Amino acid sequence: MNSTNAGTTLAASLKREIDGLEVVTDDASIEAKSRDYWMRSLLQSRVEGAPRAAVLVRPTSAAQVAAVLAYADRTRTPVIPFGLGSGVCGAVLAAGNEIVLDVSRMDKILEINDENLTVRVEPGMRGSDFEEALGKRGYTMGHWPQSIGISSVGGWCATRASGQYSTLYGNIEQMMLGCEVALASGKLLKLCPMTRSATGPDLKHLFMGSEGTLGVFTELTFRIHPAAQKQAGRAFSMPTLRAGLEALRLILRAGWTPAVTRLYDATEAGRNFAVNADGKPVLLVMSEGTAARVDSEAAAIAAIIASQGGVDRGEGPVTSWLEHRNHVPSFEKLLSQGLVADTIEVAIGWDRIGDLFETVNERGAAIEGVFAMSGHVSHCYTQGANIYFTFVAAESDPRAAMAIYDRAWKTTIETTIELGGTIAHHHGIGRVRKEWLRDELGEAVALLADLKRTFDPNGIMNPGALIDA
Ligand SMILES: Cc1cc2nc3c(=O)[nH]c(=O)nc-3n(C[C@H](O)[C@H](O)[C@H](O)COP(=O)(O)OP(=O)(O)OC[C@H]3O[C@@H](n4cnc5c(N)ncnc54)[C@H](O)[C@@H]3O)c2cc1C
């Protein structure tokens, strides 16, 4: 049983009030869902111990989710919506008195509409189960985050996620057509799926990226696509990082949208690909769709890459990337080896991307304790692209490791702001980026706080994440 009296009383009260609700009270289950994958909270737990929520509930319907929220609002009990806990920014972090609202039992596809090419799904469905089920019917949504096996479709929407094939299929906000959301008041809001509509501002976007602070997704409708007939990928070594960036810019400018575009700097290319014997950056591109489209796109892309000095290194590195692309590293294992590492993803226009890439790599490498600062580009647009930085430092003392961690984040984010980029391309804000939200949003931060107060006047929805109101 949960050791806290408050937890036991809360659990009994929830069971009494909400018919059939699964209420979990054992310490291990609650502990497993009291934080996400944020590296800093793991370090902090080694210094101060890991806080645990009061109770865990596992609803099976939208009505139960709404009833939990209504109860929490009435009793002023904080609630942490929980998908599968793969967030990396500390959006899930218990302080001790919360209800963790785990939606992972709401995990079914409700309907596939073959004519409209849409799917209706419950929020807790695991991404890999979802794509597998679509695949069996001859479809894909085209959303392939590295974390597809450990994240939920509702979590994708709550964090504005991005998948590895985003250059072709778009990001989650292009995929979600409609949703049902439970509000703090216990009301259920339906934002109907429409091909497109001009009924004022698009309200579903208020909830996308709101990280459980404005409402809980209880159902989602996404657009889907017939599964690709053909895939074709190649790797190229590039003479310089800037030549690789220029090749990507020209590919997008010409109107090509290969599913996968990944440019690794020399450090990451060396870490990941045997072809990099000459210490050069490596560019992977992969097209998918109808055979005619794939063939013409692949040929045009290869010509653009060659014009920037790219040397064709064959299909091997793409095949190897496809095999290993969903690997989930163990942060615990890294820490036990005396290493601290994290990834920081940002985005910027093509005119400043080379400067940002080089400046962060230089400034990051200069931080005492950091022995590798590197990056890759993995989501490209006509206007610019993301950069996914990774730093690795050797430090076994958790307090000292936290200081290095904070310096690496500050350096990366403040350099991004200095050069005019966005501080978050797809992982969200959580707790790790909160202090810089105003730098990007300016006065609009007050508007976000106003929205929070409107949707959640008693401040019960995931307090501490994204925005304080
Ligand atoms: C190894 C690894 C690789 C990753 N790769 C990618 C990647 O390629 N692309 C990418 O975008 N992200 C990636 N991530 C980050 C993470 O997987 C995403 O942020 C994902 O969308 C989180 O989904 P989840 O179900 O695990 O959400 P959780 O971690 O459970 O929750 C995330 C946030 O969403 C809220 N939330 C969850 N479910 C709901 C709901 N139904 N309604 C309202 N709020 C909800 C939570 O309160 C929290 O604020 C990666 C993470 C790891 C560890």
Side-chain angles (χ1 to χ4, degrees), residues 255-273:
W256 300 111
T257 51
V260 176
T261 49
R262 299 180 75 84
L263 173 66
Y264 297 82
D265 68 8
T267 306
E268 295 204 358
R271 203 182 284 154
N272 292 301
F273 304 108

Side-chain angles (χ1 to χ4, degrees), residues 36-37 80-88 91-92 103 123 144-147 150-152 154-156 158-159 161-163 211-212 215-217 327-329 426-427 462:
D36 58 15
Y37 268 73
I80 305 178
F82 192 95
L84 286 167
S86 71
V88 282
V92 171
V103 296
W144 298 95
Q146 182 190 350
S147 56
I150 55 168
S151 59
S152 67
W156 295 345
T159 55
S162 197
E211 302 182 4
V216 178
F217 290 112
H327 168 71
V328 176
H426 60 266
H427 284 163
N462 206 7

Side-chain angles (χ1 to χ4, degrees), residues 96-115:
N97 56 342
E98 302 89 348
I99 301 170
V100 175
L101 202 170
D102 169 5
V103 296
S104 63
R105 283 184 71 194
M106 297 170 68
D107 62 353
K108 283 163 212 61
I109 287 185
L110 302 169
E111 183 196 1
I112 293 179
N113 185 318
D114 295 291
E115 225 169 346

Side-chain angles (χ1 to χ4, degrees), residues 224-309:
I224 53 176
H225 309 267
Q229 277 175 8
K230 184 173 177 179
Q231 273 188 342
R234 296 199 85 73
F236 300 83
S237 60
M238 301 304 299
T240 61
L241 181 66
R242 288 200 184 241
L245 292 169
E246 185 61 1
L248 285 173
R249 185 181 76 82
L250 294 174
I251 290 168
L252 272 290
R253 188 184 172 92
W256 300 111
T257 51
V260 176
T261 49
R262 299 180 75 84
L263 173 66
Y264 297 82
D265 68 8
T267 306
E268 295 204 358
R271 203 182 284 154
N272 292 301
F273 304 108
V275 289
N276 184 48
D278 50 359
K280 299 278 192 245
V282 165
L283 174 58
L284 303 189
V285 284
M286 192 187 83
S287 298
E288 72 168 37
T290 58
R293 179 206 154 102
V294 169
D295 294 344
S296 55
E297 185 172 79
I301 285 174
I304 293 172
I305 296 171
S307 77
Q308 300 307 308

Side-chain angles (χ1 to χ4, degrees), residues 115-157:
E115 225 169 346
N116 291 345
L117 286 179
T118 57
V119 57
R120 231 159 34 88
V121 57
E122 292 183 312
M125 189 165 192
R126 189 176 295 274
S128 44
D129 295 342
F130 176 62
E131 264 298 333
E132 196 185 319
L134 289 178
K136 283 188 183 145
R137 292 278 296 265
Y139 298 117
T140 179
M141 188 163 92
H143 187 71
W144 298 95
Q146 182 190 350
S147 56
I148 191 158
I150 55 168
S151 59
S152 67
V153 301
W156 295 345
C157 296

Side-chain angles (χ1 to χ4, degrees), residues 371-386:
F371 65 80
M373 184 86 196
S374 60
H376 64 261
V377 167
S378 44
H379 305 275
C380 290
Y381 310 89
T382 319
Q383 285 70 34
N386 82 314

